[in-house]
């Protein structure tokens, strides 16, 4: 079964950093755009960032531009999100998903919770 | 950014009811509209893509319609497992944006 598994979430102080990982299995990871989408507690879905299959094309939401960096390692079937200068407003469950801004997000991970609090 | 507005924000319905959720885009998005279902504590699940195409494995009681700015998700006969929150999302341009969600509750 096609699967995405996130890890790396946790509690971090404002201004701190965290790196999320997403491991893909079963499908040919290197063929697909991948994205991060977040959901604040009790709120709706917010797209964060997308990266092309080769890693050469990247997009960010304005809310995270300059603070977050998306990357991928196709040899390891893995997607990453480096989050710096974290704010309380970044508190959310972060999902990795297969798809991009022009395609539906057809496969989702289970999510990893990031809490930014002092 | 393209704004997506869903209505209603919530609804109460009974098993077997026909349920309709609407989604309006702030500008034309052709048929680049997707629908997701999310149950509490779970990741969203893709139901409908490109406005009316049913994702593999999704029951046929779910259907989508519309183009341009106005779209509809219909559940023809509500089942117990359909109580969830539903989101629309446009994939016409970046940033991809979601509606605020419609929570379907048991009457």
């Amino acid at each position: 079964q096609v699967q995405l598994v996130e890890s790396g979430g946790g509690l971090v102080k404002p201004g701190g950093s965290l790196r999320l990982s997403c491991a893909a299995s079963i499908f040919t990871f290197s063929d697909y755009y991948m994205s991060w989408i977040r959901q604040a507690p009790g709120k709706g879905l917010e797209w964060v960032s997308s990266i092309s299959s080769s890693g050469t094309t990247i997009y960010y939401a304005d809310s995270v531009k300059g603070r977050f960096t998306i990357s991928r390692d196709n040899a390891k079937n893995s997607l990453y999100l480096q989050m710096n200068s974290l704010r309380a407003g970044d508190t959310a469950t972060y999902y990795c998903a297969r798809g991009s801004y022009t395609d539906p997000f057809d496969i989702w991970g289970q999510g990893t919770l990031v809490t930014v609090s002092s | 950014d393209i704004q997506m507005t869903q209505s209603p924000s919530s609804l109460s319905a009974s098993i077997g009811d026909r349920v309709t959720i609407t989604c309006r885009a702030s500008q034309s998005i052709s048929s680049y509209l997707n629908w997701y279902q999310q149950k509490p504590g779970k990741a969203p699940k893709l139901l409908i893509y490109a406005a009316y195409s049913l994702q593999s494995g999704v029951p046929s009681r779910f259907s989508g319609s519309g183009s341009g700015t106005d779209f509809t998700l219909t559940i023809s006969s509500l089942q117990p497992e359909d109580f969830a929150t539903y989101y629309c999302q446009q994939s016409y341009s970046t940033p991809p944006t979601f509606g605020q969600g419609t929570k379907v509750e048991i009457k």
Side-chain angles (χ1 to χ4, degrees), chain A residues 70-89:
Chain A
I70 191 172
S71 61
R72 64 191 296 160
D73 185 336
N74 286 342
K76 295 183 177 180
N77 292 335
S78 292
L79 176 72
Y80 306 101
L81 186 68
Q82 177 67 43
M83 304 185 295
N84 298 331
S85 303
L86 283 161
R87 308 165 179 166

Side-chain angles (χ1 to χ4, degrees), chain A residues 40-95:
Chain A
K43 302 297 184 182
L45 300 165
E46 179 189 17
W47 169 80
V48 172
S49 181
S50 295
I51 186 168
S52 63
S53 55
S54 63
T56 55
T57 301
I58 288 173
Y59 291 92
Y60 296 103
D62 286 345
S63 58
V64 306
K65 201 173 294 183
R67 301 187 299 122
F68 289 12
T69 302
I70 191 172
S71 61
R72 64 191 296 160
D73 185 336
N74 286 342
K76 295 183 177 180
N77 292 335
S78 292
L79 176 72
Y80 306 101
L81 186 68
Q82 177 67 43
M83 304 185 295
N84 298 331
S85 303
L86 283 161
R87 308 165 179 166
D90 297 318
T91 294
T93 295
Y94 285 73
Y95 296 100

Side-chain angles (χ1 to χ4, degrees), chain B residues 37-82:
Chain B
Q37 176 194 65
Q38 187 179 33
K39 297 181 180 179
K42 300 294 186 181
K45 171 188 173 183
L46 177 65
L47 296 178
I48 302 281
Y49 63 95
Y52 57 84
S53 296
L54 198 66
Q55 175 69 349
S56 176
V58 173
S60 58
R61 62 181 179 273
F62 291 92
S63 63
S65 64
S67 66
T69 60
D70 294 313
F71 301 86
T72 299
L73 173 70
T74 300
I75 309 173
S76 60
S77 177
L78 196 66
Q79 298 302 300
E81 60 268 30
D82 301 336

Side-chain angles (χ1 to χ4, degrees), chain A residues 9-21:
Chain A
L11 175 63
V12 60
K13 289 181 168 54
S17 298
L18 213 54
R19 188 195 196 207
L20 305 183
S21 299

Side-chain angles (χ1 to χ4, degrees), chain B residues 11-14 17-21 72-78 104:
Chain B
L11 65 90
S12 295
S14 301
D17 283 354
R18 181 181 182 88
V19 170
T20 299
I21 299 168
T72 299
L73 173 70
T74 300
I75 309 173
S76 60
S77 177
L78 196 66
V104 176

